[in-house]
């Protein structure tokens, strides 16, 4: 049992779980818009996400050489494998998508200064995730010019809502000077804002029903699950509540879309 717990911890701490979550969001975009389901771009997002998150979390540790433990050596191996994986799929994409992906990478590098501005941080993360998992994947397709903005805004709202449990959990560890959403307005108001994002998401989904009415019920269900995750968020929840269960919601979303196929 202890071995399984260590394996789960490594799976989460090496950012593989969040990588799979973003991978799943790309495929949700692909299936719901009935576009190319080729694995190249989703895999770029998977490996790029693992690299990006690990860079932000462990850069100082690796730079200073303070990773003399099995866990950090394992994370270093995951990063190296991700470099090879990202390069393998990246070179197989067209130049226009490569540029968009590199732009997304630059946005990720802006996270540290954005993090110093508590409320801005949440919206910045949501913007970058929506950009990489929704906008980039469909913006070049001529038949989707009319709905690409709608898809981007919808994804932005659902990611903002998914960020609320993280904001609540982190508020007890963040410096008070950061003025994150729960710190500035309180946990209850942060939850209300999350519910508002979900209402907007469902309303926009209703507007897009003529294009993909088969997926509206799944989207509404995911919004309901997200609302439940916000409702049950407290300072006393374990780290697994957010870092595993909440981050599993996009994976559940993809599984439901696959079942619908």
């Amino acid at each position: 049992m202890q071995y399984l717990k260590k394996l789960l911890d490594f799976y989460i701490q090496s950012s593989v779980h969040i990588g799979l979550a973003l991978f799943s969001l790309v495929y949700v975009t692909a299936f719901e818009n009935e576009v190319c389901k080729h694995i190249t771009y989703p895999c770029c997002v998977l490996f790029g996400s693992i690299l990006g998150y690990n860079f932000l979390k462990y850069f100082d540790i690796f730079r200073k050489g303070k990773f003399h433990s099995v866990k950090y050596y394992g994370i270093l191996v995951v990063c190296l494998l991700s470099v090879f994986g990202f390069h393998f799929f990246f070179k197989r994409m067209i130049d226009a998508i490569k540029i968009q992906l590199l732009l997304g990478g630059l946005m990720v590098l802006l996270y540290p200064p954005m993090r110093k501005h508590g409320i801005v941080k949440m919206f910045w993360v949501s913007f970058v995730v929506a950009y990489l998992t929704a906008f980039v994947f469909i913006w070049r397709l001529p038949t989707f010019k009319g709905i690409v903005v709608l898809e981007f805004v919808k994804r932005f709202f659902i990611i903002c809502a998914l960020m609320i449990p993280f904001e609540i959990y982190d508020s007890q560890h963040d410096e008070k000077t950061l003025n994150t959403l729960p710190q500035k307005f309180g946990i209850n108001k942060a939850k209300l804002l999350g519910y508002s994002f979900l209402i907007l998401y469902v309303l926009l989904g209703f507007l897009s029903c003529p294009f993909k009415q088969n997926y509206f019920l799944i989207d509404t269900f995911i919004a309901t699950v997200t609302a439940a995750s916000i409702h049950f968020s407290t300072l006393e929840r374990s780290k697994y509540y957010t870092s595993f269960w909440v981050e599993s919601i996009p994976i559940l979303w993809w599984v439901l879309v696959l079942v619908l196929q």
Side-chain angles (χ1 to χ4, degrees), residues 16-35:
V16 175
H17 191 54
I18 185 63
L20 286 173
L22 298 188
F23 174 91
S24 299
L25 287 174
V26 176
Y27 263 118
V28 168
T29 302
F31 278 95
E32 290 195 348
N33 291 281
E34 298 181 354
V35 297

Side-chain angles (χ1 to χ4, degrees), residues 205-222:
F206 180 76
L207 291 176
S208 64
C209 271
F211 301 103
K212 48 187 178 181
Q213 54 187 346
N214 292 335
Y215 295 100
F216 180 64
L217 287 177
I218 291 180
D219 289 358
T220 304
F221 175 76
I222 290 299

